[in-house]
Amino acid sequence: MSGWDDKPQIIGFKQQRPTVAKGSALNSAQRSGLVLSSESKGAGQTKGPADHQRIAKLDRDDAPKPPEKIGVEVGHAVATARMAIKNADGKSMTQKELATSVNAQPAAIADLEAGRAVPDQQLLSKLERKLNVKLRGAKNTIGGPLHPPKKK
């Protein structure tokens, strides 16, 4: 008997859902026998973090690595060779004087000596020629003379 006896359906009208009781309201409703449902709305996922949290964790793990820094031994070799060069007054060469002689910023020389600088091959080659000290290559050759005497 469909048709005249059915309840009319109104478009755009949402049926009311039973209210979900929580806390002390739930306890009092259970005592009086009025509770129909005590489950929370939208509790579809029961275990583990939400999907967006898992994706965010993956994103954090795949973060790009910061560029490699110059080794401390390179900075030590630059500082030692710079201080070995004396000017006319007998004073050691300053970082600023070294920077101006190789067309670099004084902060670049300071960072290089502290081991905070990113490797700049052009700057390293200029410093090698100016200081006559090897700054690139194997770790055991860093700090040695740029052109060692030839073996016979």
Side-chain angles (χ1 to χ4, degrees):
M1 288 239 167
S2 64
W4 295 104
D5 295 334
D6 289 344
K7 187 175 181 182
Q9 188 131 20
I10 301 171
I11 298 174
F13 178 75
K14 293 184 179 179
Q15 292 181 352
Q16 291 184 347
R17 295 183 184 171
T19 58
V20 177
K22 295 180 183 176
S24 62
L26 175 65
N27 292 338
S28 62
Q30 282 178 337
R31 277 185 254 125
S32 63
L34 297 176
V35 173
L36 298 174
S37 170
S38 65
E39 63 192 42
S40 64
K41 296 178 185 177
Q45 193 172 6
T46 55
K47 48 181 163 169
D51 192 38
H52 60 87
Q53 289 175 336
R54 184 179 58 81
I55 292 171
K57 183 178 178 186
L58 282 174
D59 284 343
R60 282 192 303 273
D61 291 343
D62 293 340
K65 304 283 185 276
E68 294 293 322
K69 303 289 184 193
I70 284 281
V72 180
E73 60 274 352
V74 175
H76 183 68
V78 169
T80 307
R82 176 180 59 81
M83 294 203 197
I85 297 175
K86 306 288 183 193
N87 62 8
D89 298 334
K91 294 181 180 178
S92 299
M93 180 184 264
T94 64
Q95 289 180 347
K96 184 177 180 182
E97 291 170 344
L98 179 61
T100 54
S101 68
V102 295
N103 288 335
Q105 295 288 324
I109 303 297
D111 288 344
L112 193 74
E113 288 185 6
R116 295 185 302 257
V118 177
D120 181 4
Q121 297 302 319
Q122 186 177 10
L123 178 62
L124 288 174
S125 67
K126 288 178 181 180
L127 287 171
E128 279 181 337
R129 288 193 304 266
K130 178 67 180 172
L131 301 172
N132 200 22
V133 172
K134 191 153 181 64
L135 301 175
R136 299 177 287 178
K139 287 190 178 191
N140 58 354
T141 62
I142 291 176
L146 185 60
H147 301 292
K150 293 184 180 180
K151 297 177 184 175
K152 293 184 180 182

